[in-house]
C-alpha cells in the first residue's frame, strides 16, 4: 500500500470530526470517499496530506519520492492573473520540480490542457481550473493523488471529462487516486472501491459494484415503448411516463432486461435506485 491511515481520530473541542478511521490505498486503484457535507471527508484528506495532525492514529507513506502525495483540497490553487504555463512554472520552482518548457508543456497535455493557451487562468472554466489544479498536484510525480470534491460545480460535460482524466491517471500512470464526493452516482462511475463516511466514522466499504448492488432496491428502466408490455403485471413495478420503476434486486434485473430484449422493446437506460439508508447504515465489509 502506498498510503495507509491507522485509527485516525480528530476532535475540535467537544466535536468529534473523525473517529478511528482506517484507510489504505494501493497503486492503480481509485477509491471513492462518500459522505454528506460535514461527514469528515475534508478533515481526513487534510490529515493524509499532512496539513493537520490527528489526535490519535498515524499515517504511513510507502514511497521514496520527494513528494509522494499530491492533492486538491476544497478548490484548485492557482494564481488567476497568470497563464496556465506561468502557474505551473511558479509552482514547479516552489516545489523544486523541473520547470523547463518541455516538462511544463507535457504536464499540461497530460491533463488535457493546451500549452498554446496564454491567457490568464481567470478566463478558464471551472473544469479547466480543476485540470490545472491536478497538473499542479502532479508536478513532483506523486504516487497518490487526493481530490476533495472535484466534481462540485461542474456541468455534465466537465464531469465526464474529469472522470476520464482520473481513470487515465490510475490505469495508465498507475497512480493511487482518492476522490471524495457527496454524490454517489459520480463515484460509482469512476471508483474501484467505495468508503462510506458518516459522522466521522466509516460505516461501509468494499468493491463499488458490490456495494451498489447490495444497496439497490429498485431500477428505473426507460425507453420509448417501455410501458407497453404485460411483463409489468407479473412483477412489482410502478409505471411512469416513458419509464418503469421495478422493485427487484441485482440478481433479477438481468432476467427482466433479457425478457424485454426478446420482446423487441427498446431500452435507453437502466439506472439503479440506491437506498441511502442501506448505503450509510449497513456494513458490507
Amino acid at each position: 500500500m502506498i498510503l495507509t491511515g491507522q485509527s485516525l481520530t480528530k476532535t475540535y473541542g467537544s466535536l468529534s470530526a473523525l473517529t478511528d478511521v482506517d484507510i489504505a490505498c494501493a497503486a492503480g486503484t481509485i477509491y471513492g470517499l462518500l459522505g454528506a457535507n460535514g461527514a469528515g471527508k475534508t478533515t481526513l484528506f487534510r490529515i493524509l496530506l499532512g496539513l493537520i495532525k490527528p489526535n490519535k492514529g498515524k499515517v504511513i507513506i510507502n514511497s521514496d519520492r520527494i513528494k509522494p502525495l499530491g492533492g486538491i483540497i476544497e478548490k484548485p490553487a492557482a494564481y488567476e492573473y497568470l497563464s496556465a504555463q506561468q502557474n505551473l512554472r511558479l509552482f514547479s520552482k516552489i516545489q523544486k520540480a523541473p520547470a523547463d518548457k518541455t516538462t511544463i508543456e507535457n504536464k499540461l497535455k497530460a491533463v488535457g490542457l493546451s500549452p498554446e493557451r496564454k491567457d490568464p487562468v481567470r478566463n478558464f472554466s471551472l473544469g479547466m481550473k480543476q485540470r490545472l489544479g491536478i497538473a499542479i498536484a502532479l508536478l513532483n510525480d506523486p504516487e497518490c493523488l487526493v481530490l476533495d470534491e472535484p466534481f462540485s460545480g461542474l456541468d455534465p460535460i466537465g464531469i465526464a471529462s474529469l472522470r476520464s482524466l482520473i481513470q487515465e491517471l490510475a490505469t495508465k500512470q498507475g497512480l493511487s487516486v482518492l476522490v471524495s464526493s457527496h454524490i454517489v452516482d459520480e463515484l460509482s462511475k469512476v471508483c474501484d472501491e467505495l468508503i462510506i463516511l458518516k459522522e466521522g466514522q466509516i460505516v461501509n466499504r468494499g468493491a463499488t459494484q458490490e456495494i451498489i448492488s447490495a444497496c439497490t432496491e429498485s431500477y428505473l428502466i426507460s425507453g420509448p415503448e417501455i410501458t407497453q408490455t404485460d411483463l409489468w403485471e407479473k412483477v412489482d413495478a410502478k409505471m411512469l411516463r416513458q419509464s418503469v420503476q421495478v422493485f427487484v434486486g441485482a440478481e433479477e434485473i438481468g432476467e427482466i432486461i433479457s425478457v424485454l430484449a426478446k420482446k423487441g422493446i427498446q431500452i435507453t437506460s437502466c439506472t439503479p435506485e440506491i437506498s441511502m439508508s442501506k448505503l450509510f447504515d449497513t456494513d458490507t465489509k
Side-chain angles (χ1 to χ4, degrees):
M1 293 293 175
I2 294 170
L3 175 65
T4 304
Q6 298 178 348
S7 301
L8 298 176
T9 298
K10 183 65 179 178
T11 58
Y12 296 97
S14 60
L15 174 65
S16 178
L18 286 180
T19 305
D20 288 325
V21 169
D22 294 320
I23 191 168
C25 302
T29 304
I30 304 173
Y31 300 87
L33 185 64
L34 177 66
N37 293 332
K41 303 186 298 294
T42 299
T43 298
L44 175 58
F45 280 4
R46 287 182 178 277
I47 290 174
L48 294 176
L49 290 170
L51 300 176
I52 60 175
K53 293 183 178 181
N55 296 92
K56 190 185 79 170
K58 62 181 179 179
V59 175
I60 302 170
I61 301 173
N62 294 313
S63 175
D64 55 4
R65 297 189 185 181
I66 296 173
K67 186 184 176 185
L69 306 183
I72 300 176
I73 299 295
E74 295 181 338
K75 65 178 182 178
Y79 293 94
E80 296 275 317
Y81 59 91
L82 297 178
S83 69
Q85 282 207 36
Q86 290 171 329
N87 265 283
L88 284 190
R89 196 170 293 113
L90 176 60
F91 279 100
S92 292
K93 291 178 179 179
I94 292 173
Q95 298 181 22
K96 298 181 180 180
D100 59 277
K101 182 180 179 181
T102 300
T103 299
I104 296 300
E105 290 183 350
N106 287 339
K107 292 295 183 184
L108 289 172
K109 291 177 182 177
V111 297
L113 292 177
S114 172
E116 305 303 319
R117 189 156 178 170
K118 309 298 183 184
D119 58 318
V121 168
R122 62 171 168 263
N123 296 336
F124 284 19
S125 67
L126 180 55
M128 293 174 68
K129 289 179 181 178
Q130 290 282 23
R131 287 174 174 270
L132 178 59
I134 292 175
I136 293 171
L138 295 174
L139 283 172
N140 265 310
D141 295 322
E143 293 184 84
C144 182
L145 183 63
V146 177
L147 303 175
D148 187 22
E149 297 278 0
F151 303 113
S152 180
L154 296 183
D155 59 29
I157 294 175
I159 290 173
S161 180
L162 183 57
R163 199 164 55 225
S164 296
L165 173 59
I166 292 170
Q167 290 171 327
E168 283 186 13
L169 292 172
T171 57
K172 294 184 179 180
Q173 298 188 32
L175 265 70
S176 174
V177 184
L178 185 56
V179 186
S180 76
S181 181
H182 60 278
I183 306 172
V184 63
D185 184 53
E186 293 310 325
L187 292 185
S188 68
K189 292 176 182 176
V190 72
C191 297
D192 302 302
E193 297 190 21
L194 281 182
I195 302 164
I196 316 299
L197 198 62
K198 179 182 179 182
E199 297 177 354
Q201 299 183 63
I202 292 178
V203 296
N204 204 338
R205 73 168 86 205
T208 299
Q209 294 310 312
E210 289 182 6
I211 288 182
I212 296 300
S213 294
C215 297
T216 296
E217 293 188 331
S218 67
Y219 290 83
L220 188 66
I221 306 176
S222 301
E225 299 176 345
I226 199 69
T227 61
Q228 299 176 24
T229 171
D230 60 359
L231 171 64
W232 308 125
E233 298 174 7
K234 304 171 185 177
V235 296
D236 186 3
K238 179 181 179 181
M239 311 299 286
L240 304 173
R241 288 198 175 188
Q242 289 190 329
S243 301
V244 175
Q245 185 177 11
V246 54
F247 297 88
V248 297
E251 66 281 355
E252 300 169 85
I253 191 63
E255 183 179 346
I256 287 176
I257 291 174
S258 178
V259 171
L260 290 172
K262 289 178 181 177
K263 288 176 176 286
I265 296 175
Q266 181 184 3
I267 300 172
T268 55
S269 67
C270 179
T271 308
E273 299 286 305
I274 299 169
S275 165
M276 291 297 109
S277 60
K278 282 187 176 182
L279 188 65
F280 284 94
D281 293 332
T282 302
D283 193 341
T284 61
K285 289 185 287 184

